[in-house]
Amino acid sequence: MDIRQLRYFLEVARLSNFTKAAESLRIAQPAVSMAVKKLEEELDLVLFNRQDKKVSLTAEGEIFLSHARRIMDDLRGAELEMAELKGLSRGEVRIGITPMISAYFFPDIFRDFKRAYPQLSISVLGEGSGRIQKMIGDGELDMGVVAGGGSAAFPATLEVRRFLREEIVVCVPLDHPFAGRQAVTLTEFIGEPLVFYKEGYYIREFFLEALKGTGSAPRIIFETNLFSLVKSLVRNGTGISIFLKMVVAEDTDLAAVSFDPPLHLDLLIAWKKDTYLSLANRAFVDFLLEHAPGERDGERR
């Protein structure tokens, strides 16, 4: 068994297709098939079900997958640490950020971080909170921003640190009856036509969970994962929606109204537990926790 075989195995498992794995790895497809076949022979196990063009992990393959990921995580961690000890680190921060806050909170953080650490580079991927958690677990991201609220539980494989608690507000056009209110109830809100977010975005799951106690269902008339489109549809009167307060704070043509009782969402930086976090990534975590603006409620954990 060698590292090359593990890399090929992991890519086939990720894409469920030998041809796509070969394209991703930029090698010939027969080379991938032969490497995986040799791995199966060495283990004396069948790792993939091969039916026509469909490829799926066997029960043995599922078990081996967790071992392969751990081996590759350990190898990458060793390479990073040894490179840093020799002063050869590339100094790259790889982070996933939820789209709603990427343009409203992090630009200043990134600017100030680059001023403090000009030798480090930053690579950012925009995904929903659930997808970010999975990518961290699969080793596709070093760390990411995830969302939670109240007693939200995170996988035991993740290390998380809260850096901000932000209020969730109702967003309406200026001529809407809610615009002059100090607060609205959940029941009042869900009685309106709603422009809402697609599955996979934590603010949706969080809000639907909060609704369970009301015994009512929301009137969702439009779904999208484009936050700028949500704003535009609220502006033109298609419906109303919810945002983090920071996202609509400077929109003078929209009104932000609190819920009664208020709703808050925690924003946390997460990385894989028991995995080596590079010096560059550790520097970013420390910088973020130190420079995030003061929270409205509670202390960071």
Side-chain angles (χ1 to χ4, degrees):
M1 184 189 310
D2 60 38
I3 298 303
R4 176 180 56 85
Q5 291 172 325
L6 293 181
R7 285 181 58 237
Y8 293 2
F9 164 77
L10 287 170
E11 198 65 6
V12 175
R14 184 175 75 87
L15 297 172
S16 300
N17 186 286
F18 280 89
T19 300
K20 290 181 179 178
E23 292 172 353
S24 174
L25 293 163
R26 297 184 179 181
I27 59 174
Q29 188 271 335
V32 176
S33 298
M34 290 176 60
V36 172
K37 185 65 176 177
K38 185 176 180 182
L39 177 61
E40 290 178 316
E41 291 172 353
E42 292 176 5
L43 294 172
D44 196 22
L45 293 169
V46 176
L47 301 176
F48 290 104
N49 295 307
R50 301 167 173 85
Q51 297 177 345
D52 299 325
K53 294 185 178 181
K54 296 182 179 180
V55 177
S56 62
L57 288 166
T58 62
E60 295 81 2
E62 291 282 0
I63 294 172
F64 185 71
L65 178 64
S66 63
H67 290 286
R69 284 174 174 166
R70 186 162 57 250
I71 291 168
M72 294 305 292
D73 284 344
D74 288 345
L75 176 63
R76 185 170 182 273
E79 290 174 341
L80 281 171
E81 190 164 8
M82 293 305 101
E84 288 172 344
L85 287 173
K86 297 192 313 185
L88 299 178
S89 173
R90 291 180 299 170
E92 181 182 23
V93 175
R94 292 194 309 164
I95 183 171
I97 299 178
T98 50
M100 184 178 287
I101 66 167
S102 61
Y104 299 93
F105 172 77
F106 275 93
D108 288 348
I109 290 290
F110 288 143
R111 178 200 62 202
D112 295 342
F113 179 74
K114 283 294 294 179
R115 288 175 179 173
Y117 300 94
Q119 75 279 16
L120 301 182
S121 61
I122 304 173
S123 175
V124 178
L125 180 69
E127 289 285 356
S129 181
R131 174 65 177 154
I132 287 174
Q133 289 186 45
K134 185 178 187 304
M135 294 181 74
I136 293 172
D138 292 347
E140 297 177 52
L141 278 175
D142 296 328
M143 57 185 177
V145 173
V146 296
S151 59
F154 291 95
T157 54
L158 287 186
E159 193 78 38
V160 297
R161 296 287 185 277
R162 190 178 77 192
F163 62 89
L164 187 66
R165 171 168 285 175
E166 184 72 1
E167 184 180 4
I168 296 175
V169 294
V170 180
C171 183
V172 299
L174 297 180
D175 59 354
H176 192 278
F178 288 172
R181 299 270 297 273
Q182 291 295 315
V184 298
T185 65
L186 285 173
T187 302
E188 289 175 312
F189 175 74
I190 62 176
E192 296 285 318
L194 304 181
V195 178
F196 226 58
Y197 310 103
K198 285 185 171 293
E199 292 183 8
Y201 289 86
Y202 185 80
I203 194 170
R204 174 192 172 102
E205 278 71 42
F206 174 80
F207 189 79
L208 294 182
E209 181 68 25
L211 284 181
K212 286 185 177 180
T214 68
S216 302
R219 291 177 54 200
I220 299 175
I221 63 167
F222 196 102
E223 290 185 328
T224 179
N225 60 350
L226 300 174
F227 295 98
S228 58
L229 178 58
V230 174
K231 280 189 178 183
S232 296
L233 292 173
V234 171
R235 286 190 182 98
N236 70 18
T238 300
I240 67 174
S241 192
I242 55 173
F243 279 99
L244 294 180
K245 191 171 184 178
M246 71 170 79
V247 176
V248 292
E250 297 183 3
D251 288 286
T252 57
D253 55 349
L254 295 173
V257 185
S258 296
F259 279 102
D260 180 19
L263 291 179
H264 292 87
L265 197 65
D266 290 335
L267 299 174
L268 310 97
I269 185 74
W271 61 93
K272 197 171 184 179
K273 190 177 291 184
D274 301 324
T275 297
Y276 178 75
L277 198 62
S278 74
L279 292 178
N281 286 323
R282 277 182 282 169
F284 183 80
V285 170
D286 292 343
F287 187 90
L288 176 62
L289 295 179
E290 181 181 352
H291 291 82
E295 297 178 286
R296 293 181 171 86
D297 296 294
E299 299 296 325
R300 297 191 182 104
R301 67 183 183 189

